Amino acid sequence: MSQQKISPTDVNPVPRPSRAGRNLPAAIAVGVVLISAVIATLAWWHWGFILLVAAALSMGVVEVSRALSRIGMHAATAPVFVGTLAVVLGSYYAGQHPAQQVPSNTLILGLLALTSLACLVWRLREGPENYVRDAAASLFLVGYIPLLGSAVALMMAADDGPARIVTFILCVVASDTGGYIAGVLFGKHKMAPTVSPKKTWEGFAGSVLFGVGIGIACSIWLLGVGWYVGLLLGVLLVAVGTAGDLVESMIKRDAGIKDMSSFLPGHGGIMDRLDSLLVAAPVAWALLFLLVPVA
């Protein structure tokens, strides 16, 4: 009686990756944890949300710094890491304590200036070779992460801060969701094939539709302002959120990497989740500051 030969793959079948090329169960689990943390801190512990933002942005500094090092640009990671924490935490504290007579925007400007100075001095110990290149990498980090990210702390410091943050996040998430759905169903015309091959103009139209819908709903029921605010917010946040995604894609392509890191299983790195939000934050803050009065 002959025996059937059993291959190792019959005993331990190799799991097939999802169509998205990700570990789907891990991605879902990590997503649930992150969403739960954001909801819980926004609802019950506002300082916890700011600490979460500060930690995420500081880890983003490390990720982008490592990406830059792959193309020979060595940023002063430590000063930018510390400066990011100081900018986010300090600006929120200043916004929450106006009696201290230190405006949050003044504090942000001062801390960014000190961070930039620290980066320039930090690099002196390595000598003159490639000084300008490395200093440019450091200042790029300062402008990309703590400067843009400070807008989140400014929004959160308002009396209706959680409502502003929820509106901002939901508009960007709706943009990503609408873009994905429309892109999968109807996507044919590439938006930026050399930078992000999966992005299509049909997907962008879906982003606008979802982003505007959520923006209008949040403006009426969360912020208590006219629908036109949500219309403007949705359109602009979709535009700048898409630009933020493309900016990060450009950095990764220049560095020759697919993800910023593997810190978040199934998602990639911190910056792979924050790219759209980070660039959209200053626009969201400016629009809400100008168009939504504080009670």
Side-chain angles (χ1 to χ4, degrees), residues 195-275:
V195 180
S196 185
K198 293 183 180 180
K199 285 195 177 299
T200 63
W201 286 108
E202 292 82 2
F204 182 74
S207 293
V208 173
L209 182 63
F210 276 55
V212 167
I214 291 297
I216 292 174
C218 289
S219 293
I220 295 173
W221 290 306
L222 270 182
L223 300 175
V225 293
W227 62 269
Y228 58 89
V229 175
L231 174 63
L232 185 59
L233 194 65
V235 170
L236 290 181
L237 291 191
V238 167
V240 293
T242 301
D245 189 24
L246 292 174
V247 165
E248 199 225 10
S249 294
M250 290 282 279
I251 296 171
K252 291 190 292 185
R253 284 192 173 274
D254 195 13
I257 56 178
K258 179 182 178 182
D259 295 322
M260 279 295 183
S261 74
S262 57
F263 181 77
L264 299 175
H267 291 266
I270 292 287
M271 289 301 296
D272 294 311
R273 297 278 65 86
L274 295 183
D275 50 3

Side-chain angles (χ1 to χ4, degrees), residues 105 117 132 196 230:
N105 54 357
L117 177 60
V132 173
S196 185

